Amino acid sequence: MTTADTTPPLRIALLGTGPWARNTQAPALAAHPGVELSGVWGRRAEAADALATAHGTRAYTGEEGIDALLEASDAVAFALPPDVQAPLAVRAAEAGCHLLMDKPVATTVAGARAVAEAAEKASVASVVFCTLRFAPETSAWIAEQAAVEGWFTARAQWLGSLYAAGSSSEYADSPWRRDKGGLWDVGPHALSVLIPVLGDVEHLTAAAGPADTTHLILRHTSGASSTVTLGLSAPPGAAGVEIELRGERGTASIPGWAGAETAFRGAVDALAEAVRTGVPHACDARFGLHLTELLAAAEAQAQAG
């Protein structure tokens, strides 16, 4: 005979109603057995109503709606542009809510630092959703490679065709993504894999490529080096994700993963574990700040030519 789990569900609010909220976060939160989707907030009342109704929860809008939703929640998931996310994450932390943020936390170092400091001051748990750190297949691979010594170099390439001719992706309508490009959108994913395996970045060189493509050369604290190519404007035939490590034991290539919703459920589990134990997750707001510092340095170098 087993004892029933009496742990109350974690009440998680969702801020945002765009494609990422509709396609990934809301379905994952609504279906999670340990979560109560406590409400959906959006700037447009009709969008908030539609998403909340689809997942059996309550819609909120306006400034007063944010305050009411924070009061009714234990944690907040963000599906907002990074520089909208950051000040609202500070506000949520100050209200005592744990944070499940999207990457990048912010596109300014000051914005990301404010979030990290607010989370620490309020003693709330935080997780930054870098997909490959939470998808079961890739998170296991990262842990396995991090335990291996003797890596010499690595190559990461993340090229999307979001802005290629003929693309019809609804994610292409995001103003911040179009403005900041692949460096800020997919750069956090690549860095979140390389850093736990090769060590922190102690030297970075960046150069601009065609369209929004950015090339990075990194030297890591382990002594290994890596190269990274990031972009959202590649021709469809050139798009794809590859991360390969080379070292004393040969080569290792990152496996494929099931999809964003499954990975996001893993991030929810990680936040719940951090809340339960009080032990910070490796991909917390402080790590999100560090990613922002690296991306800002790379952007400055690439723009300087």
Side-chain angles (χ1 to χ4, degrees):
M1 183 176 179
T2 59
T3 303
D5 184 3
T6 58
T7 304
L10 192 65
R11 300 174 301 164
I12 302 183
L14 176 58
L15 301 189
T17 59
W20 186 240
R22 294 195 308 270
N23 298 338
T24 300
Q25 294 198 15
L29 292 169
H32 196 291
V35 168
E36 175 191 333
L37 180 55
S38 52
V40 173
W41 178 88
R43 285 172 285 192
R44 294 186 299 113
E46 61 274 22
D49 286 338
L51 190 57
T53 299
H55 296 285
T57 190
R58 181 178 173 184
Y60 295 79
T61 193
E63 287 295 308
E64 69 285 353
I66 294 175
D67 292 332
L69 184 52
L70 293 178
E71 187 175 351
S73 305
D74 304 308
V76 180
F78 296 87
L80 296 166
D83 295 324
V84 177
Q85 169 180 246
L88 287 176
V90 171
R91 185 169 167 181
E94 290 173 345
C97 292
H98 307 289
L99 308 175
L100 180 49
M101 294 170 287
D102 203 9
K103 54 74 208 164
V105 170
T107 66
T108 67
V109 172
R113 181 176 293 116
V115 175
E117 291 177 350
E120 290 175 0
K121 182 177 180 180
S123 297
V124 297
S126 59
V127 164
V128 179
F129 181 52
C130 295
T131 303
L132 303 184
R133 293 292 288 272
F134 299 100
E137 306 89 342
T138 52
S139 63
W141 182 86
I142 292 166
E144 179 183 351
Q145 308 317 316
V148 174
E149 295 183 354
W151 292 119
F152 182 70
T153 191
R155 175 181 61 85
Q157 183 166 277
W158 195 305
L159 291 173
S161 56
L162 204 63
Y163 299 122
S167 172
S168 59
S169 172
E170 57 186 340
Y171 295 103
D173 294 333
S174 166
W176 85 265
R177 187 175 281 111
R178 184 175 291 277
D179 178 52
K180 304 302 283 188
L183 174 66
W184 286 91
D185 187 30
V186 297
H189 294 311
L191 291 170
S192 76
V193 174
L194 295 173
I195 289 173
V197 177
L198 303 181
D200 201 2
V201 176
E202 61 180 15
H203 184 75
L204 177 154
T205 303
D212 75 309
T213 305
T214 303
H215 301 283
L216 308 179
I217 301 173
L218 310 176
R219 186 173 68 233
H220 298 266
T221 52
S222 65
S225 64
S226 64
T227 60
V228 184
T229 299
L230 309 162
L232 299 175
S233 303
V241 177
E242 298 177 4
I243 301 178
E244 179 188 74
L245 306 167
R246 290 179 174 267
E248 294 174 357
R249 302 191 187 185
T251 64
S253 297
I254 199 165
W257 61 96
E261 186 177 336
T262 299
F264 190 74
R265 286 199 297 269
V268 173
D269 292 338
L271 181 68
E273 179 71 4
V275 171
R276 184 183 68 80
T277 64
V279 178
H281 190 273
C283 261
D284 64 358
R286 183 59 62 178
F287 182 71
L289 166 59
H290 187 44
L291 291 179
T292 299
E293 291 170 336
L294 292 171
L295 295 170
E299 181 180 62
Q301 281 199 30
Q303 290 179 345

